[in-house]
Amino acid sequence: MLFTLLGVILTCTVTWLYLRWLKVRSFWGKRGVPHEPPHPIFGSLTHLTKINTSKWMIAVYNKYKHKTPYVGIWLFWRPALIVNDPEIGRRVLVKDADVFRDRFLNSGKSDPIGCLNIFSVNDPTWSRVRRHLTPVFTTAKIKHIQNLIAQKSKELVQRIQIESSKNKLIDIRTMFADFSTDIIGTAAFGVKCNATLTGKDPMRSVTKSFQTYSFIRGLNFVSIMFFPELADIFRFSFFPKSATDYFTKIFRAVVKERGGYDKPVEEIKDLLDTLLKMKQNAAKESDFMSEELLIAQATIFVQGAFETSSNTLAVAIYELAYNTEVQEKLYREIVDIKERLGGEDFTVDALADATYLNCVIDETLRKYPPMGWLDRVARKEYQIDENLTIPAGTPVYVNFVGMQVDPDYYPEPQLFKPERFLPEAKGDLTPFTYAPFGEGPRNCIGRRFGQQTVRFGLASVILNYELKPLPNMPLPNDIEFNKNAPFLLVELLHVNFVPRH
Ligand code: HEM
């Protein structure tokens, strides 16, 4: 009797799953959307752990380019859409941003720091927090970190000198992560960090744990990004637990040192002050912001800033080592700026006006956007074009990493040509084919902060060192990217730093 019952339950379950699978599998076909047949478990995500997801996005782009403006995929069994077209991308991210205000990724409710930060939180909390934080990240407001970045840039030059004098091979990805951790760690948590010179610091131990994309951490991210329901069931988290414990501890200690949550913030010195001010301003509007909400923002500033900035610096330095003409042109510009400043430290304004430096950074972010595919989810049914309407809840990915290497938009995309971004050439670029900081209301809030960090780091290194390739290292177009990381992050890279003086 028991066996018969079990047999009936099993048969019903298998039949239900099979019928459901038939429905899932036919989702894009029925709508006439080009797609590859999905895997019965992973859907379209069979590349996971084999190739970096950004590289996979480029492959999908190239396969369907000129055939269709979008491609249907499955995140396990959930249909999602990859948008390969600038005009549809513009509508999703900007014109109809109200429909696509939310991200699909979600780190579940069991991880408060992971789910309350503005990168992963959705409305209504996202709008509340973003409204308070946006004014703080303007160029004028973040000028207060100029001295900090200038100091850390000098330490960067010293670090290269110390390591080169010991004939050590410098792992540039790690060195720039030490540098960017110091800057964002100090700015967001108000504690002194000393990793640029020493390679070690408690804050750096935390960002190292962020950088370790082990299989398990990769699994956490896969679930958060592509199967958020599992994040709650298995208690997956955006940040390692040791990291959130550490951040909570130091955040509390520094707030106490500054007089507590209620002491009015008179002068904003860093990002931590801005978070305190945000809480106080919200309270004036009878809006309560919890301690967890503040710590979540400080934590995402660290995660959002250190890896994007350091990765950009590492690949820029690597490309410059292989592109001597570009390097020389940049060096001349930086020398001129230094002379104009009378030999004094670089300033935010002087580097913001450095045309070629900014072209080098733009070109680096074209070839290597750390987050080159932008995640959104449709709040309601949405008409993509005259042929396709997607149901509410469909995840949509705008594929900039693909568009940014399309030869129709960027001729000879494998070449490193900062000249594409010179003011006189920029007008020829096709709008909405380039968005390394994202687009629309949900774009990167730390863009100016990140640009400042990269400008100072790059200018300081170029002024002091000539960069040369080392034997046995891959050519720039053959660089390896982390397979488990959710974004386009480089692995170990070395160049030769030859002192200029
Ligand atoms: C080279 C440096 C950087 C790059 C390339 C970069 C890129 C990006 C991209 C592509 C997004 C997604 C935007 C979208 O979906 O439209 C993003 C979001 C974000 N970034 Fe950055 N970023 C950088 C630096 C920073 C820095 C320095 C901070 C903090 C100080 C930061 C904090 C954030 C936050 C909090 C978000 C989420 C914004 C929201 O959802 O409202 N980023 N970034």
Side-chain angles (χ1 to χ4, degrees), residues 248-487:
T248 305
K249 198 173 98 195
I250 55 168
F251 195 87
R252 284 187 182 148
V254 176
V255 170
K256 197 167 162 207
E257 207 179 281
R258 292 186 188 187
Y261 286 111
D262 297 327
K263 182 166 176 212
V265 178
E266 306 291 350
E267 185 208 353
I268 295 201
K269 297 178 297 300
D270 53 23
L271 296 179
L272 189 133
D273 278 340
T274 64
L275 292 173
L276 294 177
K277 185 109 184 143
M278 171 174 85
K279 183 172 168 63
Q280 292 165 6
N281 286 345
K284 284 184 203 150
E285 298 168 17
S286 309
D287 180 6
F288 172 73
M289 289 198 173
S290 67
E291 182 185 60
E292 270 173 348
L293 189 81
L294 302 196
I295 298 172
Q297 309 322 315
T299 307
I300 197 65
F301 293 160
V302 173
Q303 164 86 66
F306 99 93
E307 196 145 44
T308 47
S309 313
S310 59
N311 197 74
T312 306
L313 276 162
V315 280
I317 289 291
Y318 203 72
E319 283 280 3
L320 289 169
Y322 288 80
N323 289 279
T324 42
E325 270 178 37
V326 174
Q327 188 185 155
E328 200 50 30
K329 205 166 157 186
L330 179 61
Y331 173 65
R332 293 274 138 235
E333 182 181 71
I334 301 297
V335 169
D336 278 356
I337 294 171
K338 195 73 179 173
E339 278 171 11
R340 264 186 277 131
L341 291 168
E344 295 296 316
D345 286 351
F346 293 124
T347 61
V348 167
D349 292 336
L351 294 184
D353 290 344
T355 310
Y356 201 63
L357 172 67
N358 289 300
C359 291
V360 167
I361 297 170
D362 288 348
E363 176 68 345
T364 305
L365 288 169
R366 178 191 68 79
K367 277 190 85 177
Y368 311 99
M371 279 189 244
W373 43 278
L374 304 181
D375 156 340
R376 300 290 190 273
V377 60
R379 277 186 177 182
K380 54 180 190 188
E381 191 179 82
Y382 181 78
Q383 187 174 1
I384 294 278
D385 62 13
E386 64 280 9
N387 301 317
L388 176 67
T389 297
I390 53 171
T394 308
V396 175
Y397 300 107
V398 184
N399 193 354
F400 282 107
V401 69
M403 291 189 251
Q404 290 180 192
V405 292
D406 182 339
D408 289 348
Y409 301 134
Y410 300 92
E412 300 183 294
Q414 73 287 5
L415 298 185
F416 188 74
K417 288 206 291 197
E419 285 69 17
R420 305 176 206 268
F421 292 96
L422 282 171
E424 57 273 26
K426 243 180 171 169
D428 296 338
L429 300 180
T430 309
F432 273 86
T433 57
Y434 178 79
F437 291 96
E439 268 296 352
R442 226 160 164 172
N443 68 356
C444 175
I445 200 168
R447 176 186 188 136
R448 292 183 185 85
F449 194 115
Q451 283 171 325
Q452 283 189 22
T453 306
V454 175
R455 283 175 192 145
F456 270 79
L458 206 50
S460 306
V461 173
I462 287 294
L463 183 68
N464 290 283
Y465 296 95
E466 189 183 349
L467 311 168
K468 294 196 169 164
L470 281 166
N472 304 324
M473 289 303 294
L475 292 171
N477 291 318
D478 298 328
I479 293 177
E480 288 281 327
F481 293 90
N482 192 309
K483 296 180 179 64
N484 292 333
F487 301 116

Side-chain angles (χ1 to χ4, degrees), residues 35-60:
H35 60 274
E36 299 288 307
H39 181 276
I41 297 170
F42 299 108
S44 309
L45 302 178
T46 47
H47 71 281
L48 291 173
T49 73
K50 291 187 207 123
I51 60 165
N52 179 281
T53 296
S54 291
K55 289 282 169 189
W56 175 72
M57 285 277 177
I58 295 176
V60 173

Side-chain angles (χ1 to χ4, degrees), residues 191-208:
V191 287
K192 278 214 166 78
C193 304
N194 204 19
T196 310
L197 271 181
T198 62
K200 291 191 198 107
D201 190 272
M203 180 69 73
R204 181 66 182 115
S205 305
V206 172
T207 59
K208 271 193 184 138

